[in-house]
Amino acid sequence: MEYFSIDTPSLKASFKEAVIKGIAPDKGLYYPDHIPSLDPSFFNQIESLSPVEIGLEVMRPFTQDILSKSDLKKVLETVLDFEFPVVPLSDSIGSLELFHGPTLAFKDVGARFMAQCLGLFSEKNQAPVTVLVATSGDTGGAVANGFLGVEGVEVVILYPSGKVSPIQEKQLTTLGQNIKALEVHGSFDDCQKMVKTAFLDPEITDYKQLTSANSINVARWLPQMLYYFLAYKTLKPSLDKSGKELVFSVPSGNFGNICAGMVAREMGLPVSHFIAATNANKVVPNFMKNGTYKAEKSVATISNAMDVGDPSNFVRILQMHENEHGILEKGFSAYSFSDPQTKKAMRAIEKEHHYTTDPHGAVGYLGLLEYQKNHPNTYGVFLETAHPVKFLEVVEETLGKTLTIPKKIVEVLSKQKQATKISDYQGLKRFLMQE
Ligand SMILES: *Cc1c(COP(=O)(O)O)cnc(C)c1O
């Protein structure tokens, strides 16, 4: 399998080059040169397969030129060592909990997969790499944790000052070792722009081998497919019995997670519809309504990991659908919800289903309800992408109750924050050049 740049299809890369470069030399995102179909027998027997066996089947075609089967198996065993339960809320709705990993965020899977791959590559080349990553919240913690102590890899994380939750900030600023945090006076979009600029700055790239760990990196993006396969494995018996169609509603920011789910469908996973649920940052819902894509400045919301004004991965979704709005809309919808609607939903879910959601999951739930209004014969799964305690203040205030803080988090809260403040690109450059 080769990967090509969406902007210039003649620019090709192997899996390894795509992972190390992160982004193609023309700034385009890498995309697989084809999406393989899985054999129907795989889906028929999926219930009897372990998560690692499923992961091997799904990820093998995307990595096989570079990773041997036993390397991939080792990577998957490290990555998939926690649960991905689907908690049923009713006959037609379930919550796919993706927060049982080490940082309680769904990004743990992609971040760890990428860290393991880079660790393997640098072991073989003995050339150190610097992972440069911008985070609007959960990426930073997941990447920091996934890469902590990985030999030959240094991690530099940029985050917008005051715009990530206190727990998120602690998770990305307290690890030390090979993990450095930069606190940026600006928005997430500013952080992302600085990272993109650094990748194209020859003074930096001649000095350091930079790579990205944002969801644009294929090693972070593609393994997220596994959530959808694993959810299907869990739900298959009840879907077979009820005859309902499976739909997923994905709280979306940079659109990497949902795009991975849509790749899973291209590989044969029986999902009838994908719903992108966004907060007030509604570039994609607007696009689905009026056919024009217009990037905007991001606005701050209570679901801040989705405060993205120009979602990078949407071009991949377009690519998958021949850049045709008409083709895309057959299997994809997008809806936007305000903070007051999100809070109302959090209260309703608590009251009606005795289930606590974080603001991101609640946005996903709202997307599902909106779609199911006109599609009653569906079983809808919304993705609960973060543990409610990661958004402690807003969840406690909205629900009027106190949450129990898991031990993993209590430990991190007592640690000392270590971050370097920067306010512009020159600050980032100085930091990278002096190391
Ligand atoms: C990153 C994140 C999202 C958005 O995922 P994308 O792949 O960027 O669309 C949603 N919820 C939480 C909690 C996140 O951390």
Side-chain angles (χ1 to χ4, degrees):
M1 169 95 59
E2 277 196 312
Y3 294 79
F4 66 88
S5 164
I6 286 181
D7 294 353
T8 317
S10 60
L11 284 178
K12 301 211 160 142
S14 67
F15 176 69
K16 180 170 166 179
E17 285 165 319
V19 174
I20 291 178
K21 288 195 182 130
I23 188 164
D26 64 341
K27 278 189 175 190
L29 265 60
Y30 283 117
Y31 192 81
D33 66 8
H34 71 286
I35 297 188
S37 299
L38 291 166
D39 200 82
S41 64
F42 165 74
F43 294 104
N44 290 335
Q45 56 170 3
I46 196 165
E47 288 161 74
S48 66
L49 302 177
S50 71
V52 171
E53 286 168 331
I54 293 171
L56 271 173
E57 200 72 32
V58 171
M59 291 304 294
R60 185 83 176 116
F62 294 95
T63 56
Q64 64 189 0
D65 303 337
I66 305 295
L67 296 183
S68 68
K69 196 168 180 182
S70 67
D71 277 346
L72 179 61
K73 185 157 181 273
K74 263 185 253 155
V75 169
L76 289 166
E77 280 164 354
T78 312
V79 170
L80 298 175
D81 73 345
F82 52 90
E83 299 294 311
F84 305 88
V86 181
V87 177
L89 301 195
S90 72
D91 289 349
S92 57
I93 295 183
S95 166
L96 172 57
E97 294 187 345
L98 301 180
F99 57 70
H100 296 278
T103 74
L104 310 185
F106 85 91
K107 293 184 173 75
D108 283 325
V109 163
R112 287 197 195 184
F113 190 92
M114 180 178 167
Q116 293 299 313
C117 288
L118 271 187
L120 280 175
F121 301 161
S122 82
E123 211 173 274
K124 285 173 185 155
N125 303 346
Q126 291 162 355
V129 290
T130 299
V131 173
L132 191 59
V133 59
T135 182
S136 59
D138 277 349
T139 302
V143 167
N145 188 284
F147 280 86
L148 182 66
V150 174
E151 292 281 334
V153 184
E154 173 201 39
V155 179
V156 178
I157 300 167
L158 284 76
Y159 71 98
S161 183
K163 297 195 177 75
V164 304
S165 79
I167 289 175
Q168 287 176 332
E169 184 171 42
K170 286 280 180 157
Q171 284 183 325
L172 57 93
T173 58
T174 58
L175 290 167
Q177 294 186 48
N178 57 333
I179 315 294
K180 314 269 155 61
L182 296 179
E183 182 174 1
V184 177
H185 180 72
S187 65
F188 169 65
D189 291 340
D190 295 329
C191 297
Q192 205 166 25
K193 222 175 279 160
M194 284 187 207
V195 167
K196 283 187 179 163
T197 309
F199 279 104
L200 299 167
D201 187 334
E203 285 185 59
I204 297 176
T205 55
D206 286 351
Y207 178 62
K208 274 195 168 156
Q209 172 69 61
L210 288 187
T211 189
S212 137
N214 278 94
S215 56
I216 52 177
N217 194 301
V218 296
R220 268 210 46 209
W221 167 53
L222 287 170
Q224 302 178 92
M225 284 192 284
L226 299 175
Y227 307 138
Y228 302 87
F229 285 100
L230 295 175
Y232 179 67
K233 168 187 152 127
T234 306
L235 293 170
K236 187 167 182 290
S238 64
L239 290 170
D240 286 349
K241 211 190 278 163
S242 69
K244 286 185 176 175
E245 289 183 354
L246 177 60
V247 303
F248 283 102
S249 176
V250 186
S252 295
N254 232 347
F255 282 70
N257 192 2
I258 192 167
C259 183
M262 294 169 90
V263 175
R265 176 169 65 182
E266 294 292 304
M267 293 178 84
L269 188 71
V271 179
S272 74
H273 208 80
F274 279 93
I275 300 138
T278 75
N279 57 30
N281 293 282
K282 55 179 172 189
V283 173
V284 173
N286 285 347
F287 170 78
M288 293 314 290
K289 221 180 276 165
N290 58 33
T292 36
Y293 183 91
K294 198 168 153 286
E296 284 177 12
K297 251 183 124 72
S298 63
V299 298
T301 72
I302 57 169
S303 46
N304 65 36
M306 309 199 293
D307 294 350
V308 182
D310 185 7
S312 311
N313 284 289
F314 195 61
V315 290
R316 285 179 166 146
I317 293 180
L318 290 175
Q319 175 73 31
M320 204 186 301
H321 298 87
E322 300 165 44
N323 288 296
E324 287 285 343
H325 188 279
I327 298 178
L328 176 59
E329 72 180 355
K330 286 193 192 125
F332 175 84
S333 305
Y335 309 113
S336 153
F337 302 96
S338 66
D339 281 353
Q341 285 174 305
T342 306
K343 288 186 182 175
K344 202 170 150 199
M346 288 163 69
R347 287 190 207 104
I349 301 165
E350 182 83 23
K351 189 157 170 241
E352 289 162 30
H353 305 294
H354 312 286
Y355 185 72
T356 306
T357 48
D358 93 296
H360 302 78
V363 169
Y365 172 86
L366 283 169
L368 203 52
L369 289 197
E370 187 63 32
Y371 182 76
Q372 285 185 321
K373 268 187 207 162
N374 298 316
H375 301 86
N377 195 31
T378 53
Y379 187 84
V381 174
F382 70 92
L383 275 54
E384 176 49 304
T385 46
H387 192 294
V389 301
K390 296 205 68 185
F391 299 89
L392 190 69
E393 293 77 8
V394 63
V395 174
E396 289 192 338
E397 186 204 297
T398 302
L399 300 180
K401 69 171 198 182
T402 308
L403 303 184
T404 314
I405 303 187
K407 205 165 137 249
K408 286 183 227 182
I409 297 290
V410 175
E411 284 166 6
V412 86
L413 281 176
S414 64
K415 292 194 187 152
Q416 193 64 33
K417 163 180 163 184
Q418 281 183 320
T420 304
K421 288 195 178 170
I422 62 167
S423 52
D424 56 15
Y425 178 67
Q426 289 310 320
L428 172 62
K429 187 164 175 174
R430 267 197 304 276
F431 185 85
L432 291 172
M433 299 301 289
Q434 83 193 358
E435 294 262 305

